[in-house]
Amino acid sequence: MQHPSEVGHAKNTVRLLKLALPQTQIYVGETAADFAELQGYLAAQTRPVLIVYPNEHSKAASEVEADNKAIIVLIDGTWRKAYRMLQLNPWLLNYPSLHLECEDESQYVIRKAKRSDSLSTLEAAVYTLENLEPDADVAPIFAVFHAMVHHKLSAMPTAVRQRYNSDKFTW
């Protein structure tokens, strides 16, 4: 579920996720009416549906026993936009929710985040996949992600680049 303001964003990781995992389906919108097709699709499923969004009822992805047939729903947007999308789509609360327990910081250093647990949507998808399917080879997905981040950082003037946590990359 992608907020409309993220679609054309130059730092859009959902675009990369779709390239790396072609079975990814992207639904753009904000309100329940925008997601009526997705809601109908999910309601018709016999496979488990899991929402990746931390809340008081969410379970750690590492504790969930789900097979690789589960449908994973991610909400793509800033924390504020994602929360608003969740509020406008209360039908999402009918599904179990997951949260990620990441020990490492986000590698998505080209976007500022106020929360320490902020991840890009691509990172959230890959970490969820790793938890639910430990044998999955996610290295190629992260390789593309890191190439994009490095490309964006290297295109920035040095003075601008220094404002980002770019010390994770070698120049």
Side-chain angles (χ1 to χ4, degrees), residues 1-6 29-30 53-54 75-89 111-115 117-119 121:
M1 297 174 64
Q2 187 174 44
H3 191 276
S5 67
E6 295 295 319
E30 189 175 20
Y53 192 88
I75 303 173
D76 181 50
T78 63
W79 278 110
R80 174 179 267 164
K81 291 173 187 173
Y83 179 75
R84 178 158 170 76
M85 289 169 66
L86 193 63
Q87 297 302 304
L88 293 172
N89 293 277
R111 271 187 111 167
K112 303 285 184 185
K114 293 179 183 174
R115 291 178 54 151
D117 60 348
S118 294
L119 297 172
T121 302

Side-chain angles (χ1 to χ4, degrees), residues 40-62:
Y41 170 76
L42 295 176
Q45 296 302 309
T46 57
R47 301 182 291 164
V49 175
L50 303 167
I51 310 297
V52 179
Y53 192 88
N55 61 51
E56 62 276 1
H57 304 294
S58 63
K59 292 183 180 179
S62 59

Side-chain angles (χ1 to χ4, degrees), residues 6-147:
E6 295 295 319
V7 175
H9 204 289
K11 300 171 185 174
N12 177 352
T13 64
V14 171
R15 185 175 27 237
L16 284 180
L17 183 61
K18 176 75 174 165
L19 291 171
L21 295 171
Q23 67 270 35
T24 300
Q25 295 179 27
I26 303 170
Y27 295 85
V28 178
E30 189 175 20
T31 67
D34 297 332
F35 296 112
E37 181 183 347
L38 173 61
Q39 185 177 2
Y41 170 76
L42 295 176
Q45 296 302 309
T46 57
R47 301 182 291 164
V49 175
L50 303 167
I51 310 297
V52 179
Y53 192 88
N55 61 51
E56 62 276 1
H57 304 294
S58 63
K59 292 183 180 179
S62 59
E63 297 173 5
V64 174
E65 290 185 29
D67 60 30
N68 60 2
K69 304 275 190 243
I71 297 171
I72 307 301
V73 177
L74 297 123
I75 303 173
D76 181 50
T78 63
W79 278 110
R80 174 179 267 164
K81 291 173 187 173
Y83 179 75
R84 178 158 170 76
M85 289 169 66
L86 193 63
Q87 297 302 304
L88 293 172
N89 293 277
W91 56 270
L92 288 170
L93 300 175
N94 295 328
Y95 300 104
S97 57
L98 305 177
H99 63 267
L100 299 167
E101 295 174 323
C102 296
E103 295 176 19
D104 298 327
E105 281 185 40
S106 172
Q107 297 296 303
Y108 195 42
V109 297
I110 57 175
R111 271 187 111 167
K112 303 285 184 185
K114 293 179 183 174
R115 291 178 54 151
S116 62
D117 60 348
S118 294
L119 297 172
S120 70
T121 302
L122 181 140
E123 289 173 307
V126 173
Y127 289 138
T128 302
L129 182 61
E130 276 185 322
N131 279 287
L132 299 179
E133 200 172 329
D135 294 333
D137 181 13
V138 298
I141 302 170
F142 271 131
V144 171
F145 173 72
H146 289 129

